[in-house]
Structure formats: C-alpha cells, structure tokens
Amino acid sequence: MTESGARTPEPEYMDDRAEAEAYAAADFSGVNAAFAERLAELAAAIDNAEALDLGTGPADIPIRVARLKPGWRITAVDAAAAMLAIARRNVDAAGLRGRIALVRCDAKRMELPSAAFDVVFSNSILHHITGARDLWTEVARVAKPGALIFFRDLARPASPAAARAIVETYAGGESAILQAEYYRSLLSSYTVAEVRAQLTGAGLRGLTVAMATDRHFDVFGRAAP
Ligand SMILES: C[S@@+](CC[C@H](N)C(=O)[O-])C[C@H]1O[C@@H](n2cnc3c(N)ncnc32)[C@H](O)[C@@H]1O
C-alpha cells in the first residue's frame, strides 16, 4: 500500500437504529469466526480469564469467543444504545447471559476497575475513534500487567478510489446503507504507522502491529508490565 491520504473521521457511536439493524443483519460470520479463532489461537494457554470486548456491536464476536473459551467471562461494552439492544437479544438467544455482561459506556473512559482484565480484544472500533491515543491509554489502564491484547481493524487505503474498489470486491452484494458505511469506515481508518505512533503515545509497549489481510491490520501481544 502506498502512503494514504488524510483520514476522514466518521461518527464514533453507531446509535442510529437503522444503521445498527443493517449492520447486525449483514453476514459477517466469516470475518467474525476468523477473529474469534485467531483470538483463541493467541490465547491457547489462557483457560480462565476475565476478558473485555470494546465496541461489541451486536455481540456476535463475544458469543463466538465464549463458545471457544468456556472458562472465560466477558464484559462487552458499547456506547450505542441501539447496538446494545441488539446485543442483548443475541446474548439471550445464545443462552450466555451468565457469561457475557453488556455495559453501555465510552471505551475511552470506562467505569471499570484498573488492572482487571486478562484479555482485552476488539474488532473494528478503532476506525470510529478520534483521539485514539485515549482509547489505548484506557486499554493500558484496565489491562492486567501481561494481559493479552488483540485488536483487528480496517487499514486506510491509499485513495478514495482504492477504498471504492475494496467496497466493490468485499461488499458488492450488500445493501446500499452497508456499502456506504463500509466506504466511510475505510476512509476513517488508520494506517499501521499511525497506530504504532498511538501506542507509543499511550505508553503501551510490547505490541505488534502488522497487516493481516489486504484491508485489515492486527494489533496483538502482551501489555508490557
Ligand atoms: C463497526 S462496529 C463493530 C462491532 C463488533 N465489534 C463487530 O466486529 O461486529 C463498531 C462498534 O463500536 C462502537 N463504538 C464506537 N465508538 C465507541 C466508543 N468510543 N465507545 C464504545 N463503543 C464505541 C459502535 O457503536 C459500534 O457498535
């Protein structure tokens, strides 16, 4: 990927009911399963854990993770009431109310205790966040020393034309609302270099940031004590 143009931020919270329903109705089963499996792989040695999911959306990912890791309890946060209503429905339908706690809060300033989580994970919150260093600072606060961190997000393409091509390739069959959302998300996302700078600014050491696919990067590793 060549050097990307400037970021065009999109709204942080997905609190519009139609947008939340369109997102929840889309078939992300492949990417969500891949995320949960990669997390389980990274966490192969962690049988029992307090885990935290940031920007949980419809909670499909924590549901998958809870099934792969039966010894984990997961706190799943989102700032959008519209998304949490869908998450509530899905967690109840999965019979996981006892293992997945849903919390409405901003992931940049959570009313959660410090050094409380063995695992902190998130899929696709970062591109929503302006002031991402605050998010990483909060991750560093709530993670136990040595906690496993795993984030996956979109990487900003080199140009609007490149973003359009990605939408066509990977979401050409989705609804117009979802395609528009995906395009905005791509332009709102960060580059690997920007994320490395955010981590340094937040004093979060010991993490690797690397491209995982042609349009995603992963941030993973153990939070340095
Ligand atoms: C693209 S969705 C991803 C949902 C889910 N992680 C998934 O992969 O299916 C991003 C979610 O992050 C939430 N979000 C955005 N900014 C947030 C913030 N500052 N605090 C908490 N949640 C936030 C949005 O409301 C939305 O539900």
Side-chain angles (χ1 to χ4, degrees), residues 43 46-51 65-74 96 98-99 118-119:
I46 308 176
D47 290 334
N48 299 299
E50 285 295 332
V65 171
R67 288 177 176 147
L68 289 173
K69 302 297 282 184
W72 288 17
R73 282 173 29 86
I74 303 172
L96 287 167
R99 290 187 46 219
D118 307 284
V119 181

PDB file of all heavy atoms in Angstrom, residues 43 46-51 65-74 96 98-99 118-119:
ATOM      1  N   ALA A  43      -4.635 -17.035  22.532  1.00  0.00           N
ATOM      2  CA  ALA A  43      -4.926 -17.280  23.948  1.00  0.00           C
ATOM      3  C   ALA A  43      -4.947 -18.768  24.266  1.00  0.00           C
ATOM      4  O   ALA A  43      -5.583 -19.182  25.234  1.00  0.00           O
ATOM      5  CB  ALA A  43      -6.278 -16.655  24.305  1.00  0.00           C
ATOM      6  N   ILE A  46      -4.548 -19.633  27.812  1.00  0.00           N
ATOM      7  CA  ILE A  46      -5.375 -18.924  28.812  1.00  0.00           C
ATOM      8  C   ILE A  46      -6.743 -19.604  28.906  1.00  0.00           C
ATOM      9  O   ILE A  46      -7.637 -19.364  28.092  1.00  0.00           O
ATOM     10  CB  ILE A  46      -5.540 -17.432  28.434  1.00  0.00           C
ATOM     11  CG1 ILE A  46      -4.169 -16.783  28.180  1.00  0.00           C
ATOM     12  CG2 ILE A  46      -6.289 -16.680  29.526  1.00  0.00           C
ATOM     13  CD1 ILE A  46      -4.243 -15.325  27.714  1.00  0.00           C
ATOM     14  N   ASP A  47      -6.892 -20.469  29.912  1.00  0.00           N
ATOM     15  CA  ASP A  47      -8.154 -21.214  30.029  1.00  0.00           C
ATOM     16  C   ASP A  47      -9.217 -20.423  30.782  1.00  0.00           C
ATOM     17  O   ASP A  47     -10.392 -20.479  30.456  1.00  0.00           O
ATOM     18  CB  ASP A  47      -7.908 -22.547  30.746  1.00  0.00           C
ATOM     19  CG  ASP A  47      -7.101 -23.490  29.871  1.00  0.00           C
ATOM     20  OD1 ASP A  47      -7.167 -23.346  28.629  1.00  0.00           O
ATOM     21  OD2 ASP A  47      -6.373 -24.344  30.426  1.00  0.00           O
ATOM     22  N   ASN A  48      -8.796 -19.724  31.830  1.00  0.00           N
ATOM     23  CA  ASN A  48      -9.730 -18.962  32.647  1.00  0.00           C
ATOM     24  C   ASN A  48      -9.340 -17.494  32.580  1.00  0.00           C
ATOM     25  O   ASN A  48      -8.171 -17.157  32.784  1.00  0.00           O
ATOM     26  CB  ASN A  48      -9.697 -19.446  34.099  1.00  0.00           C
ATOM     27  CG  ASN A  48     -10.103 -20.894  34.179  1.00  0.00           C
ATOM     28  OD1 ASN A  48     -11.219 -21.264  33.799  1.00  0.00           O
ATOM     29  ND2 ASN A  48      -9.187 -21.734  34.626  1.00  0.00           N
ATOM     30  N   ALA A  49     -10.324 -16.627  32.294  1.00  0.00           N
ATOM     31  CA  ALA A  49      -9.967 -15.218  32.136  1.00  0.00           C
ATOM     32  C   ALA A  49     -11.172 -14.329  32.322  1.00  0.00           C
ATOM     33  O   ALA A  49     -12.310 -14.724  32.075  1.00  0.00           O
ATOM     34  CB  ALA A  49      -9.385 -14.984  30.733  1.00  0.00           C
ATOM     35  N   GLU A  50     -10.864 -13.120  32.778  1.00  0.00           N
ATOM     36  CA  GLU A  50     -11.794 -12.005  32.668  1.00  0.00           C
ATOM     37  C   GLU A  50     -11.400 -11.307  31.370  1.00  0.00           C
ATOM     38  O   GLU A  50     -10.271 -10.818  31.243  1.00  0.00           O
ATOM     39  CB  GLU A  50     -11.639 -11.040  33.847  1.00  0.00           C
ATOM     40  CG  GLU A  50     -12.216 -11.543  35.149  1.00  0.00           C
ATOM     41  CD  GLU A  50     -13.742 -11.703  35.104  1.00  0.00           C
ATOM     42  OE1 GLU A  50     -14.397 -10.985  34.337  1.00  0.00           O
ATOM     43  OE2 GLU A  50     -14.260 -12.556  35.844  1.00  0.00           O
ATOM     44  N   ALA A  51     -12.308 -11.277  30.415  1.00  0.00           N
ATOM     45  CA  ALA A  51     -11.995 -10.688  29.107  1.00  0.00           C
ATOM     46  C   ALA A  51     -12.888  -9.475  28.872  1.00  0.00           C
ATOM     47  O   ALA A  51     -13.992  -9.375  29.427  1.00  0.00           O
ATOM     48  CB  ALA A  51     -12.200 -11.723  28.007  1.00  0.00           C
ATOM     49  N   VAL A  65     -16.512 -16.167  20.949  1.00  0.00           N
ATOM     50  CA  VAL A  65     -15.358 -16.356  21.840  1.00  0.00           C
ATOM     51  C   VAL A  65     -15.780 -17.166  23.074  1.00  0.00           C
ATOM     52  O   VAL A  65     -15.065 -18.075  23.519  1.00  0.00           O
ATOM     53  CB  VAL A  65     -14.758 -14.988  22.242  1.00  0.00           C
ATOM     54  CG1 VAL A  65     -13.704 -15.140  23.336  1.00  0.00           C
ATOM     55  CG2 VAL A  65     -14.157 -14.280  21.010  1.00  0.00           C
ATOM     56  N   ALA A  66     -16.960 -16.853  23.624  1.00  0.00           N
ATOM     57  CA  ALA A  66     -17.437 -17.571  24.819  1.00  0.00           C
ATOM     58  C   ALA A  66     -17.576 -19.069  24.527  1.00  0.00           C
ATOM     59  O   ALA A  66     -17.306 -19.912  25.396  1.00  0.00           O
ATOM     60  CB  ALA A  66     -18.774 -16.984  25.276  1.00  0.00           C
ATOM     61  N   ARG A  67     -17.964 -19.401  23.310  1.00  0.00           N
ATOM     62  CA  ARG A  67     -18.116 -20.827  22.970  1.00  0.00           C
ATOM     63  C   ARG A  67     -16.756 -21.504  22.790  1.00  0.00           C
ATOM     64  O   ARG A  67     -16.597 -22.682  23.120  1.00  0.00           O
ATOM     65  CB  ARG A  67     -18.947 -20.960  21.691  1.00  0.00           C
ATOM     66  CG  ARG A  67     -20.427 -20.629  21.956  1.00  0.00           C
ATOM     67  CD  ARG A  67     -21.246 -20.695  20.695  1.00  0.00           C
ATOM     68  NE  ARG A  67     -22.659 -20.461  20.993  1.00  0.00           N
ATOM     69  CZ  ARG A  67     -23.506 -19.856  20.165  1.00  0.00           C
ATOM     70  NH1 ARG A  67     -23.087 -19.413  18.978  1.00  0.00           N
ATOM     71  NH2 ARG A  67     -24.763 -19.691  20.502  1.00  0.00           N
ATOM     72  N   LEU A  68     -15.778 -20.739  22.276  1.00  0.00           N
ATOM     73  CA  LEU A  68     -14.440 -21.322  22.081  1.00  0.00           C
ATOM     74  C   LEU A  68     -13.668 -21.407  23.390  1.00  0.00           C
ATOM     75  O   LEU A  68     -12.781 -22.244  23.536  1.00  0.00           O
ATOM     76  CB  LEU A  68     -13.634 -20.462  21.085  1.00  0.00           C
ATOM     77  CG  LEU A  68     -14.071 -20.513  19.623  1.00  0.00           C
ATOM     78  CD1 LEU A  68     -13.301 -19.478  18.803  1.00  0.00           C
ATOM     79  CD2 LEU A  68     -13.845 -21.913  19.049  1.00  0.00           C
ATOM     80  N   LYS A  69     -13.983 -20.501  24.331  1.00  0.00           N
ATOM     81  CA  LYS A  69     -13.240 -20.423  25.588  1.00  0.00           C
ATOM     82  C   LYS A  69     -14.231 -20.529  26.760  1.00  0.00           C
ATOM     83  O   LYS A  69     -14.615 -19.515  27.360  1.00  0.00           O
ATOM     84  CB  LYS A  69     -12.466 -19.099  25.669  1.00  0.00           C
ATOM     85  CG  LYS A  69     -11.487 -18.854  24.536  1.00  0.00           C
ATOM     86  CD  LYS A  69     -10.352 -19.876  24.469  1.00  0.00           C
ATOM     87  CE  LYS A  69      -9.273 -19.670  25.456  1.00  0.00           C
ATOM     88  NZ  LYS A  69      -8.142 -20.642  25.279  1.00  0.00           N
ATOM     89  N   PRO A  70     -14.640 -21.747  27.102  1.00  0.00           N
ATOM     90  CA  PRO A  70     -15.700 -21.924  28.112  1.00  0.00           C
ATOM     91  C   PRO A  70     -15.339 -21.429  29.509  1.00  0.00           C
ATOM     92  O   PRO A  70     -16.237 -21.208  30.325  1.00  0.00           O
ATOM     93  CB  PRO A  70     -15.957 -23.439  28.108  1.00  0.00           C
ATOM     94  CG  PRO A  70     -14.937 -24.047  27.218  1.00  0.00           C
ATOM     95  CD  PRO A  70     -14.246 -22.991  26.438  1.00  0.00           C
ATOM     96  N   GLY A  71     -14.044 -21.195  29.778  1.00  0.00           N
ATOM     97  CA  GLY A  71     -13.647 -20.701  31.109  1.00  0.00           C
ATOM     98  C   GLY A  71     -13.589 -19.184  31.200  1.00  0.00           C
ATOM     99  O   GLY A  71     -13.191 -18.653  32.232  1.00  0.00           O
ATOM    100  N   TRP A  72     -13.973 -18.480  30.138  1.00  0.00           N
ATOM    101  CA  TRP A  72     -13.875 -17.020  30.154  1.00  0.00           C
ATOM    102  C   TRP A  72     -15.213 -16.382  30.508  1.00  0.00           C
ATOM    103  O   TRP A  72     -16.278 -16.844  30.087  1.00  0.00           O
ATOM    104  CB  TRP A  72     -13.478 -16.490  28.774  1.00  0.00           C
ATOM    105  CG  TRP A  72     -12.055 -16.739  28.370  1.00  0.00           C
ATOM    106  CD1 TRP A  72     -11.179 -17.652  28.929  1.00  0.00           C
ATOM    107  CD2 TRP A  72     -11.348 -16.092  27.306  1.00  0.00           C
ATOM    108  NE1 TRP A  72      -9.977 -17.597  28.265  1.00  0.00           N
ATOM    109  CE2 TRP A  72     -10.038 -16.659  27.266  1.00  0.00           C
ATOM    110  CE3 TRP A  72     -11.674 -15.113  26.384  1.00  0.00           C
ATOM    111  CZ2 TRP A  72      -9.080 -16.260  26.335  1.00  0.00           C
ATOM    112  CZ3 TRP A  72     -10.720 -14.718  25.459  1.00  0.00           C
ATOM    113  CH2 TRP A  72      -9.426 -15.278  25.439  1.00  0.00           C
ATOM    114  N   ARG A  73     -15.097 -15.281  31.272  1.00  0.00           N
ATOM    115  CA  ARG A  73     -16.236 -14.368  31.453  1.00  0.00           C
ATOM    116  C   ARG A  73     -15.907 -13.106  30.663  1.00  0.00           C
ATOM    117  O   ARG A  73     -14.783 -12.619  30.706  1.00  0.00           O
ATOM    118  CB  ARG A  73     -16.419 -14.017  32.932  1.00  0.00           C
ATOM    119  CG  ARG A  73     -17.102 -15.126  33.740  1.00  0.00           C
ATOM    120  CD  ARG A  73     -17.115 -14.801  35.229  1.00  0.00           C
ATOM    121  NE  ARG A  73     -17.127 -13.355  35.465  1.00  0.00           N
ATOM    122  CZ  ARG A  73     -18.240 -12.608  35.508  1.00  0.00           C
ATOM    123  NH1 ARG A  73     -19.425 -13.159  35.356  1.00  0.00           N
ATOM    124  NH2 ARG A  73     -18.155 -11.320  35.741  1.00  0.00           N
ATOM    125  N   ILE A  74     -16.861 -12.606  29.937  1.00  0.00           N
ATOM    126  CA  ILE A  74     -16.581 -11.488  29.024  1.00  0.00           C
ATOM    127  C   ILE A  74     -17.449 -10.282  29.376  1.00  0.00           C
ATOM    128  O   ILE A  74     -18.670 -10.405  29.524  1.00  0.00           O
ATOM    129  CB  ILE A  74     -16.854 -11.902  27.553  1.00  0.00           C
ATOM    130  CG1 ILE A  74     -16.014 -13.141  27.187  1.00  0.00           C
ATOM    131  CG2 ILE A  74     -16.531 -10.741  26.600  1.00  0.00           C
ATOM    132  CD1 ILE A  74     -16.348 -13.746  25.841  1.00  0.00           C
ATOM    133  N   LEU A  96     -26.216 -17.045  26.900  1.00  0.00           N
ATOM    134  CA  LEU A  96     -24.931 -16.694  27.517  1.00  0.00           C
ATOM    135  C   LEU A  96     -25.029 -15.506  28.457  1.00  0.00           C
ATOM    136  O   LEU A  96     -24.009 -14.873  28.776  1.00  0.00           O
ATOM    137  CB  LEU A  96     -23.897 -16.422  26.409  1.00  0.00           C
ATOM    138  CG  LEU A  96     -23.423 -17.688  25.679  1.00  0.00           C
ATOM    139  CD1 LEU A  96     -22.671 -17.341  24.401  1.00  0.00           C
ATOM    140  CD2 LEU A  96     -22.529 -18.528  26.605  1.00  0.00           C
ATOM    141  N   GLY A  98     -25.251 -15.358  31.531  1.00  0.00           N
ATOM    142  CA  GLY A  98     -24.428 -15.543  32.738  1.00  0.00           C
ATOM    143  C   GLY A  98     -22.942 -15.330  32.497  1.00  0.00           C
ATOM    144  O   GLY A  98     -22.172 -15.176  33.443  1.00  0.00           O
ATOM    145  N   ARG A  99     -22.517 -15.334  31.235  1.00  0.00           N
ATOM    146  CA  ARG A  99     -21.057 -15.232  30.963  1.00  0.00           C
ATOM    147  C   ARG A  99     -20.667 -13.991  30.191  1.00  0.00           C
ATOM    148  O   ARG A  99     -19.483 -13.672  30.096  1.00  0.00           O
ATOM    149  CB  ARG A  99     -20.603 -16.476  30.196  1.00  0.00           C
ATOM    150  CG  ARG A  99     -20.633 -17.729  31.083  1.00  0.00           C
ATOM    151  CD  ARG A  99     -20.041 -18.937  30.402  1.00  0.00           C
ATOM    152  NE  ARG A  99     -18.783 -18.615  29.765  1.00  0.00           N
ATOM    153  CZ  ARG A  99     -18.415 -19.121  28.570  1.00  0.00           C
ATOM    154  NH1 ARG A  99     -19.205 -19.952  27.916  1.00  0.00           N
ATOM    155  NH2 ARG A  99     -17.260 -18.785  28.058  1.00  0.00           N
ATOM    156  N   ASP A 118      -7.623  -9.932  31.986  1.00  0.00           N
ATOM    157  CA  ASP A 118      -6.538 -10.784  31.492  1.00  0.00           C
ATOM    158  C   ASP A 118      -6.421 -10.687  29.973  1.00  0.00           C
ATOM    159  O   ASP A 118      -5.366 -10.996  29.403  1.00  0.00           O
ATOM    160  CB  ASP A 118      -6.825 -12.253  31.847  1.00  0.00           C
ATOM    161  CG  ASP A 118      -7.105 -12.436  33.320  1.00  0.00           C
ATOM    162  OD1 ASP A 118      -6.143 -12.403  34.105  1.00  0.00           O
ATOM    163  OD2 ASP A 118      -8.293 -12.585  33.696  1.00  0.00           O
ATOM    164  N   VAL A 119      -7.525 -10.342  29.318  1.00  0.00           N
ATOM    165  CA  VAL A 119      -7.577 -10.266  27.857  1.00  0.00           C
ATOM    166  C   VAL A 119      -8.416  -9.050  27.478  1.00  0.00           C
ATOM    167  O   VAL A 119      -9.494  -8.841  28.044  1.00  0.00           O
ATOM    168  CB  VAL A 119      -8.251 -11.533  27.259  1.00  0.00           C
ATOM    169  CG1 VAL A 119      -8.278 -11.465  25.734  1.00  0.00           C
ATOM    170  CG2 VAL A 119      -7.566 -12.809  27.736  1.00  0.00           C
TER     171      VAL A 119
END
